[in-house]
Amino acid sequence: MSILDELQWRGLVADCTDTVELTKRLAAPTTLYCGFDPTADSLHVGNLVPLLALRRFQLLGHHPIAVAGGATGSIGDPSGKTQERQLLTADVLDHNIARVKVQLAKLLDFETTQNPARLVDNATWTKDLTFLDFLRDIGKHFSVNQMVAKESVRARMEDREAGISYTEFSYMLLQAFDFYVLRRDTGCELQIGGSDQWGNITAGIELTRKKLGQTVYGLTLPLIMNSDGTKFGKTAAGAIWLDPRRTSVYRFYQYWINTDDRDAIRYLKFFTFLPAAEISDLEAQHAANPGARVAHKALARAVTDLVHGPSATTEAIRASEILFGGELTGISEATFGDIVGEVPTKNVDPAALVSGIPLAELLVLAGLCPSKGQARKDVEGGGVNINNERETNFQRLVTTNDLLFGKHVLLRKGKKNYVVVTAKLALTA
């Protein structure tokens, strides 16, 4: 397949400025770019659609450029926002860019000799540009009437309470300037981005035509929504980040495992590089037995491999298995630490574990049983596990010998009720 055929099959084309001519141009290696504003110190899963699209272009011989928005990020894109972003300081922007660059480098190939990816910062071509020069050389090419008609601006102007500041109104010009500079200096002919970027992309196309007399193209990718109408990449705990310090690898893996059945095949197309034949096979298995979650597991493994690497994926899978009764033998402290962050935790006095705490008493203390009598029944009925090993003696003492990594005991009642008991004095006021 050509790159456009590939994107169409995967459902990743929202709009294109000139499909016929772009198809012809893409028959030969083409330079393209996508921008990533450093509004946080990590990208999130929503950024994967354009980022992986750059990688798809690269795999088919094209030349991708990732633009870290040191300049545009200092302004804030109004697209898709109902309120103005909080302006970031220079120090925060520098920190965010440094972190985002690390993540971009994981998903694009900067080492290949054939068509290496490039990473640039748009602050490099704006830092010495004066305000008057920008107004004279760039601003004069834009009609305010046309800018107001752009969806990203119009939606905000219709909200009389929020409105739009001149700062955000100018964002479109800065992004257009990026496209013009990249065409002039690197031969870049295509910009890709989310469908909310259409107005900004077409502004850059017009500026390049007026300033350089050259044709460039725009291609937008769909903004992903879950089938249940919720926003993709958002959970009750917040956004799903690519940085494991903000979203643990375990939680990242679980996000994909818990994908709605209606979305599993769509997301295999959107977020993986699995070939059509393999996805078709997974689709058939998914239709025959959705409960087996074969498609979900393939999705979670593939995306976690891409973002965090196979070894981290293996640890996340291991943590998942432990929470379904898997053995604890050989588990690393880091993997167990992910489990601690996902289940209720109860602190107990380390001194009490030296002499031992009766299991029935500990189950009540942990909140797994309402009374010692009920705890006794649960234990004798075979429904209680200590460190995922069944225990049927309700008088059994839980001691320091049961501590994992000298800190924790994993208690389970039934199949899904877990509590981590941690040997740690509770803080007092």
Side-chain angles (χ1 to χ4, degrees), residues 365-423:
L365 182 65
L368 285 171
C369 297
S371 66
K372 291 181 182 180
Q374 184 61 51
R376 177 176 179 173
K377 291 179 182 179
D378 291 335
V379 173
E380 292 180 335
V384 171
N385 289 258
I386 300 174
N387 295 334
N388 277 356
E389 293 185 2
R390 183 170 296 175
E391 179 56 65
T392 56
N393 178 9
F394 74 95
Q395 292 180 318
R396 193 256 215 220
L397 294 178
V398 179
T399 71
T400 52
N401 292 329
D402 296 301
L403 291 175
L404 299 167
F405 312 108
K407 302 175 185 177
H408 310 292
V409 177
L410 182 64
L411 294 180
R412 174 164 62 93
K413 188 182 80 168
K415 291 184 177 181
K416 295 183 178 180
N417 297 311
Y418 282 91
V419 171
V420 172
V421 175
T422 299

Side-chain angles (χ1 to χ4, degrees), residues 298-309:
L299 171 66
R301 178 182 287 276
V303 183
T304 311
D305 276 355
L306 275 172
V307 174
H308 297 295

Side-chain angles (χ1 to χ4, degrees), residues 75-87:
I75 298 299
D77 185 0
S79 303
K81 300 297 178 184
T82 58
Q83 292 184 330
E84 186 164 1
R85 298 175 189 266
Q86 182 177 354
L87 296 181

Side-chain angles (χ1 to χ4, degrees), residues 112 190 243 276 333 380:
T112 179
L190 171 64
D243 190 329
E333 186 171 0
E380 292 180 335

Side-chain angles (χ1 to χ4, degrees), residues 122-166:
N122 58 19
T124 60
W125 56 77
T126 57
K127 61 184 177 63
D128 295 326
L129 189 65
T130 69
F131 180 63
L132 287 178
D133 287 341
F134 189 78
L135 289 179
R136 287 173 55 86
D137 296 339
I138 305 302
K140 69 177 182 179
H141 294 289
F142 289 87
S143 160
V144 170
N145 297 32
Q146 292 176 324
M147 293 176 66
V148 169
K150 302 291 185 183
E151 174 61 26
S152 59
V153 173
R154 183 179 57 80
R156 286 285 293 279
M157 290 188 68
E158 289 176 353
D159 185 342
R160 295 191 177 187
E161 187 172 325
I164 185 170
S165 70
Y166 178 76

Side-chain angles (χ1 to χ4, degrees), residues 22 30 45 86 93 139 180 209 214 228 265 276 281 287 325 416 423:
L22 180 58
T30 303
V45 291
Q86 182 177 354
L93 276 172
Y180 156 70
R209 181 184 62 80
Q214 295 175 340
D228 62 6
I265 303 303
D281 180 56
K416 295 183 178 180

Side-chain angles (χ1 to χ4, degrees), residues 12-15 32-36 49-51 53-54 57 175 190-198 201 217-223:
L12 288 173
V13 175
D15 212 340
L32 70 150
Y33 97 93
C34 184
F36 300 90
V49 172
L51 183 50
L54 282 182
F57 274 93
Q175 186 167 324
L190 171 64
Q191 181 183 174
I192 67 171
S195 58
D196 60 340
Q197 295 298 307
W198 181 254
I201 291 173
Y217 305 94
L219 177 70
T220 59
L221 312 164
L223 296 179

Side-chain angles (χ1 to χ4, degrees), residues 91-388:
D91 287 344
V92 170
L93 276 172
D94 288 344
H95 168 75
N96 289 354
I97 290 171
R99 297 303 310 164
V100 166
K101 283 181 177 178
V102 171
Q103 294 167 356
L104 293 174
K106 284 184 177 180
L107 293 166
L108 296 172
D109 186 353
F110 292 87
E111 304 300 326
T112 179
T113 57
Q114 298 299 317
N115 58 328
R118 282 175 283 179
L119 183 58
V120 298
D121 183 347
N122 58 19
T124 60
W125 56 77
T126 57
K127 61 184 177 63
D128 295 326
L129 189 65
T130 69
F131 180 63
L132 287 178
D133 287 341
F134 189 78
L135 289 179
R136 287 173 55 86
D137 296 339
I138 305 302
K140 69 177 182 179
H141 294 289
F142 289 87
S143 160
V144 170
N145 297 32
Q146 292 176 324
M147 293 176 66
V148 169
K150 302 291 185 183
E151 174 61 26
S152 59
V153 173
R154 183 179 57 80
R156 286 285 293 279
M157 290 188 68
E158 289 176 353
D159 185 342
R160 295 191 177 187
E161 187 172 325
I164 185 170
S165 70
Y166 178 76
T167 299
E168 283 191 313
F169 185 65
S170 303
Y171 184 94
M172 186 186 301
L173 277 68
L174 281 176
Q175 186 167 324
F177 186 56
D178 288 347
F179 204 173
Y180 156 70
V181 170
L182 289 170
R183 178 66 182 99
R184 182 194 68 193
D185 297 348
T186 70
C188 181
E189 297 179 69
L190 171 64
Q191 181 183 174
I192 67 171
S195 58
D196 60 340
Q197 295 298 307
W198 181 254
N200 294 333
I201 291 173
T202 54
I205 291 172
E206 282 298 299
L207 180 63
T208 302
R209 181 184 62 80
K210 291 175 180 178
K211 291 278 289 179
L212 299 176
Q214 295 175 340
T215 298
V216 290
Y217 305 94
L219 177 70
T220 59
L221 312 164
L223 296 179
I224 310 301
M225 294 292 292
N226 296 320
S227 289
D228 62 6
T230 58
K231 188 173 182 179
F232 171 77
K234 295 288 187 180
T235 68
I240 302 299
W241 302 96
L242 304 193
D243 190 329
R245 295 177 301 179
R246 299 193 68 165
T247 298
S248 73
V249 181
Y250 169 80
R251 186 176 295 176
F252 185 88
Y253 179 84
Q254 284 298 315
Y255 174 78
W256 301 99
I257 281 287
N258 292 324
T259 296
D260 189 302
D261 286 352
R262 294 168 292 178
D263 294 321
I265 303 303
R266 278 203 311 145
Y267 290 178
L268 279 167
K269 293 179 179 180
F270 291 166
F271 298 106
T272 79
F273 291 90
L274 298 180
E278 189 170 346
I279 292 178
S280 295
D281 180 56
L282 289 166
E283 185 172 15
Q285 294 183 62
H286 179 64
N289 185 8
R293 305 186 73 76
V294 174
H296 301 72
K297 292 174 183 177
L299 171 66
R301 178 182 287 276
V303 183
T304 311
D305 276 355
L306 275 172
V307 174
H308 297 295
S311 61
T313 303
T314 299
E315 288 291 293
I317 293 172
R318 183 78 195 285
S320 301
E321 291 171 345
I322 288 168
L323 289 181
F324 283 92
E327 292 186 1
L328 288 162
T329 305
I331 185 177
S332 70
E333 186 171 0
T335 298
F336 192 81
D338 286 340
I339 295 173
V340 173
E342 299 301 322
V343 302
T345 301
K346 180 70 176 181
N347 294 337
V348 298
D349 187 345
L353 289 170
V354 174
S355 55
I357 302 175
L359 177 56
E361 181 180 331
L362 189 59
L363 289 169
V364 174
L365 182 65
L368 285 171
C369 297
S371 66
K372 291 181 182 180
Q374 184 61 51
R376 177 176 179 173
K377 291 179 182 179
D378 291 335
V379 173
E380 292 180 335
V384 171
N385 289 258
I386 300 174
N387 295 334
N388 277 356

